[in-house]
């Protein structure tokens, strides 16, 4: 009875699924699409401060360097999350004789950017991430409070958005990632201008205030639209057109246009030298008739001159005149050099990178990989993906990421690389073989056979 009931329930579910799929046009299917703000050096600080500006603020009875510390800010050209060639921004406090409870702040403000959501639409998820490290471990132990906060300032007249409320900077002296600080998807207004603002504030009561630093790197706001989720996913179908943008990379095939240099084959126009066939015009061999004058039998040899130049031998005849050498034919004109074909358009940059099969694409502190749902799992897979140093007892190089994929399909996923492995992956991107392992733990309603885990060896590439 129970088996009959299960078969009946499965039949009903399949019938409902078939009906739902029949109602969804094929053109409405799309992949996840993410857009990043602020971007460039304004996010990574790799080669410059990226347009960010630093100011200070002191409250109440604060006298800098006396009753509260002096605050300052600077861009550091090396020592960021990417190593010696990667920069970052720093807030720093100086010495104070006594801190009487007033506050002193260092405020970093980004350049203005226009928020466009995802293709002008409100996204399904809106989040912010940044890397930070603290040089205030000893200062916090003396009872001083050191906090940081992140606010998005609306430059178009709308409300500001608090992403991170005032939070302790902590005592960790190594880079750590404040990852996936989510806020409401509609919190930012599409079409409005914003500035990101990071504030480091020192307060509390103490006799001697020591110097300290707070460092920040990789400040990024990410808007994402998902593929599944009913009608919302259907609207996102336009997003797959964006994926076609990666096909723009095929545009580099335009370089084949340089085959236009094959136009140099125009030199084949030198076949005009066939005009030298005009040498056949050496009708001057008629001069070999002069061999008739050759009374001597030798002159008759001049008849051989009818073959052309050999006729000149007929000149041996005392009477015969040497046949005039036929004028060489005009050289055929050299064919014009073919113009170089136009260079194909460069594929559009800035979007998610194209991820080849068997590869992981490293961009900044994220590793983009393919996540596949094998056909033995139905109707869809809930996959937990993580990159390892090796298959057996390997260490996790990225934070795990949960991805949902339909049976027989794959999706691109962005794994956040742990700070301790970023330099290592940069080195592995120069090795032309598969050096890391992608582990996929898979859950689904039905599995026909096999284990619920899969391993893929990947080669690391830069994107």
């Amino acid at each position: 009875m129970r088996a009959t009931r299960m078969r009946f329930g499965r039949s009903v579910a399949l019938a409902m699924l078939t009906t739902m799929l029949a109602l969804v046009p094929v053109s409405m299917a799309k992949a996840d699409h993410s857009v990043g703000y602020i971007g460039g050096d304004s996010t990574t600080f790799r080669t410059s401060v990226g347009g960010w500006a630093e100011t200070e603020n002191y409250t109440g009875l604060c006298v800098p360097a006396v009753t509260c510390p002096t605050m300052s800010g600077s861009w550091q050209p090396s020592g960021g999350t990417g190593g010696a060639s990667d920069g970052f921004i720093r807030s720093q406090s100086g010495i104070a004789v006594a801190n009487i409870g007033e506050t002193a702040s260092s405020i970093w403000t980004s350049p203005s950017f226009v928020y466009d959501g995802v293709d002008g639409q409100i996204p399904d998820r809106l989040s912010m991430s940044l890397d930070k490290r603290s040089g205030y471990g000893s200062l916090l132990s003396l009872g001083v409070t050191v906090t940081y906060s992140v606010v998005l300032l609306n430059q178009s007249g709308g409300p500001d958005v608090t992403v991170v409320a005032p939070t302790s900077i902590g005592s960790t002296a190594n880079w750590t990632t404040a990852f996936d600080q989510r806020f409401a998807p509609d919190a930012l207004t599409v079409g409005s201008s914003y500035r990101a603002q990071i504030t480091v504030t020192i307060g509390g009561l103490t006799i001697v205030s020591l110097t300290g630093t707070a460092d920040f790197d990789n400040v990024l706001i990410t808007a994402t639209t998902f593929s599944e989720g009913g009608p919302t996913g259907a609207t996102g179908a336009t997003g797959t057109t964006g994926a076609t943008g990666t096909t723009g990379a095929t545009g580099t095939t335009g370089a084949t246009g340089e085959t236009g240099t094959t136009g140099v084959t125009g030199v084949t126009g030198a076949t005009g030298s066939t005009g030298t066939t005009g040498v056949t015009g050496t009708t001057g061999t008629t001069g070999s008739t002069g061999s008739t004058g050759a009374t001597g039998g030798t002159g008759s040899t001049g008849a051989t001159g009818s073959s052309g130049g050999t006729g000149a031998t007929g000149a041996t005849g005392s009477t015969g005149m040497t046949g005039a050498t036929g004028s060489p034919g005009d050289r055929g004109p050299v064919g014009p050099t073919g113009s170089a074909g136009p260079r194909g358009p460069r594929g559009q940059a800035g979007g998610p990178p194209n991820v080849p099969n068997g590869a992981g694409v490293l961009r900044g502190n994220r590793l983009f990989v393919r996540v596949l749902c094998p056909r033995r799992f139905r109707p869809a897979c809930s996959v937990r993906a993580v990159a390892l140093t090796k298959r057996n007892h390997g260490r996790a190089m990225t934070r795990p990421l949960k991805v949902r994929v339909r049976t027989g399909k794959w999706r691109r996923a962005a794994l956040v690389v742990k700070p301790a492995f970023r330099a290592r992956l940069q080195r592995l991107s120069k090795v032309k073989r598969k050096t890391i392992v992608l582990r996929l733990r898979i859950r689904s309603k039905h599995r026909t056979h096999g284990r619920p885990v899969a391993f893929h060896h990947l080669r690391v590439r830069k994107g």
Side-chain angles (χ1 to χ4, degrees), residues 142-162:
L142 297 176
V144 177
T145 60
V146 184
T147 64
Y148 81 102
S149 62
V150 182
V151 177
L152 300 179
L153 306 176
N154 193 320
Q155 305 297 294
S156 301
D160 298 338
V161 178
T162 299

Side-chain angles (χ1 to χ4, degrees), residues 39 72 285 297 313 344 379:
S72 62
T285 54
T313 308

